[in-house]
Amino acid sequence: MKGTYNVTVYVLDEHPACLLAGKELARCLGAITRTSVDVSTAGQFDERDAIYVGTGDRLAQILPLPAVKDPHWDDGWTIKSVGPGLVIAGVNPRSTLMAAYHYLRSLGAEWLWPGDDGEHLPRIDSIPLSGIHLSETAAHRHRGVCIEGASALEHVLDMVEWLPRVGLNAYFLQFHVSSFFWRQWYRHDLNPTWPDRKDLTEAECSALDDKVIAALKQRDLILHRVGHGWTAAALNLPTDGWLEHPGPLPDDRRNLVAEVNGKRDLWHNIPINTELCYSNPEARRRMADALLQYAADHPEVDVLHFWLSDAVNNHCECDACRRLSPSDWYATLLNEISPRLRQTAPHMKLAFLAYLDTLWPATRVRLDLTSDNLIYMFAPISRCYGHNLSHPDCGADTQLQHPKLNSVAVPHDNQDNQKLLHLWDSARPADSFAYEYHLMTAWIEDHLSLDLSDLIPRDIADYRSHGVDGIVNCSTQRAFYPNGWPYYLMARSLWSGALPSDAKSRYFTQAYGDRAPAALAFFHRLSSLTDAPIHKLSWWDTADAAAADNVLAFLADRRSEFGDALHAVETPAQRRAWRLLIHYSSSSGPRSARSSPGEWTPPTLNSTAPRTSSGKQSTRLPPPSTPS
């Protein structure tokens, strides 16, 4: 394979994502070879000893690009030596950017987690241009991340930067404005000792959203917005999260809300958790008008999420509403809104979800799919994360019964969740994805018995076998503790379907350096000591004394070894990886063991230690209400 030092990167497409691809190639290739690599724009390909970057629109005559169903939504790219040069082209601008990162990955580069210290750039003697022909398409259409927890702007911008580096293509800003998540960080409600605390105005939160959207559009990434909040918008009440309304529900809007147990009022005084009286045409009209106005005001949105409330067993029990199930009323709303959205925003998709009460499908109202702008989203928030979705031992092979109104008991067993997924098969559009919670709370509930690096790729394969085209993970933005392997594995598996057999050892070597085998051995041994998958419980809550002592002794034995490894690191990524592993090995025990006199105190890691908390309601749900 011929290589050279004196390479210029020529960008043949003016889209910001292609310009960024050129700049990133020049920056990284310069760092890899310790030389200066120029980047320039060019009008056409002219077979120089150079790298050419662009989209299929400019380069289709030079090299074949992979076929995709819809180049706006689907991703693919080709990297090929042509004459003395190298051409990097995608079916759309973001695919071109992803292709540039893949070329760098083929040289040994990697982005282990978001942020500058997650970048691994090797050293090579020259830049290869000849003998290369790589072509790939994404295994799944939907490969995204949703904002969750407590988020600073730098956390989210680092995540957005990381997405195309690992093959992810979408980001979801929840709510009309994502102020709930911004405020959780900047107010530091969960850490009152933080020295710099600030309460943001709604305008300041909206400005943060705009900065994130600008970063997404620069990379041509798919933007999802809103979700919960439409019921509040229909009532002209705040839509900015799981917050109690400071005053009573205005009397002139009381007839619009659901009647539950003979009472029409806000559900636990939280507007976004309140359902409407969907048999009331005025309630449905106000909800539709709110959504269509938002769509008109926000043409930057690619996928607009239309969800009902974020609560369960709170649907209207009036005589008119009882005629249909919650999912039938949901289908009614979708049928009224979908064709109007097609007129207002022809480019925009409308995502609806199977979640809590609507896990059971509509049976009397059939979705009208002629507008071709609906996406089905399966959101099994109560599922078991100790087993993959199709695990045969997670639940029993029993018949599911459609629950009576406001008597839903959400399923925790994955066999039941899998059955609910398939109940929608005959009633949903072909375009679909799962909205998953591996990296919202599951990753922090039990660091010991929950092996996400084993679970996530199995779930991805399960969803694919069930006809679900990818995942948007509802994720805290810093779920990279003690390393980013599960998250990285999710991203790369969504792109390729399956990773090479050496992917894990490659990742760990780049993250931990020459002593990566010690880190790998640590995780393998820890898994064998705590190998029982436990749903919604800490391993420490169920382990006997002997097992707990064995784990504590094992953790203690590793600390000096890890300290030695920290002093031998060569890169910022390795320094961060070993520091987090030392912290993890010192803080994975039960609280009582960690705080005993004489115990070693883990180092303070500031923002690297996980402090995020989701505002989402607990999946340990209260018992169903009794319909009146």
Side-chain angles (χ1 to χ4, degrees), residues 414-543:
N414 287 347
Q415 287 238 15
D416 285 347
N417 277 290
Q418 188 178 189
K419 292 169 191 171
L420 288 168
L421 169 62
H422 281 298
L423 285 178
W424 273 97
D425 282 354
S426 62
R428 66 175 176 87
D431 198 3
S432 63
F433 63 89
Y435 190 68
E436 267 293 355
Y437 305 88
H438 304 102
L439 298 159
M440 185 183 83
T441 55
W443 76 282
I444 57 176
E445 285 180 339
D446 190 354
H447 282 304
L448 294 174
S449 67
L450 184 66
D451 185 357
L452 287 173
S453 65
D454 180 68
L455 175 68
I456 290 175
R458 290 175 185 268
D459 275 343
I460 291 172
D462 286 345
Y463 279 123
R464 187 174 189 179
S465 71
H466 295 315
V468 176
D469 202 2
I471 288 176
V472 172
N473 217 301
C474 188
S475 169
T476 55
Q477 304 300 283
R478 291 165 292 153
F480 297 85
Y481 178 83
N483 59 52
W485 172 242
Y487 219 135
Y488 174 89
L489 179 61
M490 179 198 77
R492 299 304 298 152
S493 297
L494 284 169
W495 172 269
S496 63
L499 271 66
S501 59
D502 65 345
K504 186 173 186 178
S505 61
R506 179 181 185 270
Y507 182 96
F508 271 72
T509 298
Q510 291 169 330
Y512 295 98
D514 292 342
R515 302 199 187 189
L520 274 168
F522 168 79
F523 287 109
H524 290 158
R525 178 59 176 156
L526 191 59
S527 293
S528 69
L529 289 171
T530 61
D531 61 352
I534 300 170
H535 181 53
K536 298 293 181 186
L537 288 174
S538 166
W539 183 83
W540 297 102
D541 294 336
T542 57

Side-chain angles (χ1 to χ4, degrees), residues 190-239:
L190 302 177
N191 187 8
T193 62
W194 193 275
D196 183 19
R197 305 173 71 195
K198 180 181 179 182
D199 197 4
L200 301 178
T201 66
E202 193 72 359
E204 288 173 320
C205 292
S206 182
L208 295 179
D209 280 2
D210 289 343
K211 290 180 179 180
V212 174
I213 292 168
L216 291 166
K217 294 301 179 181
Q218 181 190 18
R219 293 162 174 82
D220 192 36
L221 296 172
I222 295 169
L223 173 63
H224 297 235
R225 294 200 80 172
V226 188
H228 298 302
W230 297 114
T231 58
L235 299 170
N236 197 27
L237 294 176
T239 61

Side-chain angles (χ1 to χ4, degrees), residues 54 215 316 383 594:
C316 190
R383 62 160 287 188
R594 296 199 304 268

